[in-house]
Amino acid sequence: MIVLNARATDNAALNEKIRNSKEDCEVFGCLGERFIGAGLSDKTVTIKGIPGNALGAYLDGAKIYVDGNAQDAVGDTMNGGEIVINGNVGDAPGYAMRGGKIYIKGNAGYRAGIHMKEYDGKFPVMIVGGRCGSFMSEYQAGGLIVVLGLNRDGKRIVGNFPCAGMHGGKVLLRGNAEGVNFPAKVTAKTAAREDMLAAESYIKEFCAAFGIDEKEVLASPFTVVTPDSANPYKRMYVEN
C-alpha cells in the first residue's frame, strides 16, 4: 500500500499519484481535496479526513473508504464500485449514478440520489444510515435508495419534496415516514415482504460495514415508494 499526504500536494498531483499507483492507496491529512478517485476502475483508496466535492465521480469499479465526512456530489455519475463514508455527506450524493454502491453511515444533504438511473444491466444502490435533506430521489429513474433514520433525534427521515419527478426505481424508508409529504405521482405504502427481498442483502452489508445490528434494523417496518405506473416521465426516460 502506498501512503499519501494530501496536505503536501495539490488536487491534480494527488489524483495523479493515486491513478498511477499500482498498489492500494491510503490518503491522510485530507481536507477538501476534490475529485479523489475520479474514474478509477481498480484498487482500493482509504481516506483519513474530509475529501472535497466529487469524491469518486465516474467511479468505474474501484473501492473508496472514508474515515470521516465528505462534501458534495459523492459518486457523481459513478458507473460501478463502492464508496463507504463513515460520517455525513453534503448535497447530491449519487447524482446520476448508474451502478455501484454508496453507503453513508450518517446524514446526507439535499438532492440525494437525484437522476439515479439503471444503465446497461447495472443497478445502483445508495443507503443512508441517518436522514436525507429535501428533494431526495428527485427525477429518480432506477436503482434503490434506502434511508434508515438511525439518528433517534425525533426529526423527519427525509426533508421536503421527496421523490419529485420520480419515474423509476424504488425508495425504502425505515418506519412509517410520519410527517413526510409525497407528490401525487408516486405511491407510498408499507413495504411488503417482496419489497424487502431485493434490499435485504444490501442493508445487511451496510450494517456489517458500520457495526450496526442488522436484526434491529430489519425488524422495523419500512415504507416503500415507487412511481405511479401512469407517470408519463417513465415512458420518456426509462428503458423498457
Side-chain angles (χ1 to χ4, degrees):
M1 176 182 287
I2 182 171
V3 179
L4 302 170
N5 182 357
R7 307 309 296 156
T9 185
D10 59 25
N11 290 333
L14 175 63
N15 284 310
E16 190 69 15
K17 289 178 181 179
I18 292 172
R19 279 193 296 271
N20 292 337
S21 172
K22 298 186 184 302
E23 305 175 53
D24 293 339
C25 299
E26 179 179 302
V27 181
F28 71 94
C30 195
L31 188 61
E33 286 76 19
R34 295 169 292 167
F35 308 112
I36 295 178
L40 279 185
S41 58
D42 59 1
K43 70 177 65 76
T44 296
V45 180
T46 302
I47 299 172
K48 308 287 187 178
I50 304 174
N53 291 354
L55 170 74
Y58 308 105
L59 197 70
D60 199 25
K63 296 182 179 180
I64 299 176
Y65 299 95
V66 180
D67 187 12
N69 300 324
Q71 293 182 338
D72 298 344
V74 169
D76 184 343
T77 324
M78 69 182 285
N79 195 50
E82 182 175 301
I83 301 176
V84 177
I85 310 289
N86 192 23
N88 304 315
V89 303
D91 295 340
Y95 178 94
M97 70 180 292
R98 51 194 182 180
K101 297 175 287 190
I102 299 177
Y103 293 160
I104 301 160
K105 183 179 182 180
N107 303 321
Y110 290 174
R111 291 189 160 88
I114 179 175
H115 287 299
M116 181 188 283
K117 58 181 69 66
E118 295 171 41
Y119 174 77
D120 196 26
K122 298 180 183 295
F123 185 76
V125 176
M126 180 164 60
I127 302 182
V128 178
R131 59 180 176 273
C132 291
S134 298
F135 302 103
M136 179 208 67
S137 173
E138 188 176 34
Y139 306 121
Q140 184 181 351
L144 173 68
I145 299 173
V146 181
V147 188
L148 297 177
L150 298 174
N151 308 75
R152 296 186 175 90
D153 57 7
K155 295 183 179 180
R156 281 187 301 169
I157 194 167
V158 296
N160 299 321
F161 314 112
C163 308
M166 182 185 190
H167 47 273
K170 180 185 292 185
V171 170
L172 286 170
L173 305 176
R174 184 167 169 263
N176 62 8
E178 184 177 356
V180 179
N181 293 317
F182 295 99
K185 294 292 185 179
V186 302
T187 298
K189 62 183 181 180
T190 300
R193 179 62 185 158
E194 55 267 26
D195 295 313
M196 297 298 300
L197 285 176
E200 278 193 2
S201 63
Y202 299 113
I203 294 173
K204 289 179 179 179
E205 190 175 59
F206 174 94
C207 290
F210 299 118
I212 297 168
D213 185 350
E214 67 178 50
K215 291 182 179 178
E216 180 182 351
V217 171
L218 290 169
S220 300
F222 278 75
T223 299
V224 59
V225 187
T226 52
D228 190 322
S229 60
N231 190 332
Y233 289 116
K234 183 175 182 179
R235 295 194 297 274
M236 293 171 64
Y237 295 110
V238 179
E239 209 175 321
N240 294 317

